[in-house]
Amino acid sequence: MLKLHSEFQRVYQRGKNAHSTSIALFYLPLAGEKKVGYTASKKVGNAVVRNRCKRRLRALFDEFSPSVQDGWYVFVAKKGLFDNPFDTVRRDCKYVLKRTGAMAGVSDDKNLLS
């Protein structure tokens, strides 16, 4: 789990990023470890909304973690994460993972939304 401000900044500055309507992902490929951090700003909503958004992001990463590569991940919740149905958010998560190249075994960009 990423916890330190300096770790988040390292991923933001050196990593790849991809954005969808509900999620922004910053990914820094590092061999041998998987670390993940979650963030939601006050723009997303009050504390209840932000915590629910982070719980959704944790559930999504748990679902996709067997098929993602090693590295550091920072998931940023956007306003649409709370309002959209979970299937839409799952599709957005898969999209940003493929866009950054974090999803293992993905070589082409043809089926990004499937």
Side-chain angles (χ1 to χ4, degrees):
M1 173 82 54
L2 295 176
K3 294 184 179 183
L4 298 176
H5 178 73
S6 60
E7 293 173 332
F8 279 84
Q9 290 303 312
R10 182 176 176 194
V11 177
Y12 291 144
Q13 292 169 0
R14 298 183 188 168
K16 303 172 187 177
N17 65 68
H19 301 265
S20 70
T21 57
S22 59
I23 299 172
L25 172 65
F26 295 84
Y27 167 62
L28 180 63
L30 293 172
E33 64 179 332
K34 274 187 202 175
K35 280 186 161 185
V36 63
Y38 307 95
T39 184
S41 73
K42 287 188 176 182
K43 289 180 188 178
V44 175
N46 63 16
V48 173
V49 172
R50 292 193 309 268
N51 286 331
R52 171 129 187 241
C53 289
K54 289 188 279 188
R55 282 195 305 272
R56 286 182 126 190
L57 289 173
R58 277 192 289 275
L60 286 167
F61 189 74
D62 287 344
E63 181 179 328
F64 289 117
S65 66
S67 60
V68 298
Q69 298 179 4
D70 290 347
W72 288 6
Y73 297 85
V74 174
F75 286 92
V76 180
K78 291 185 175 180
K79 191 139 182 85
L81 183 62
F82 183 76
D83 299 328
N84 289 336
F86 194 71
D87 289 336
T88 304
V89 176
R90 180 183 290 122
R91 188 177 66 233
D92 285 351
C93 185
K94 191 173 184 180
Y95 171 77
V96 295
L97 285 168
K98 287 181 178 183
R99 275 300 274 198
T100 58
M103 192 75 91
V106 175
S107 59
D108 63 343
D109 289 339
K110 284 191 248 179
N111 298 324
L112 287 177
L113 295 176
S114 61

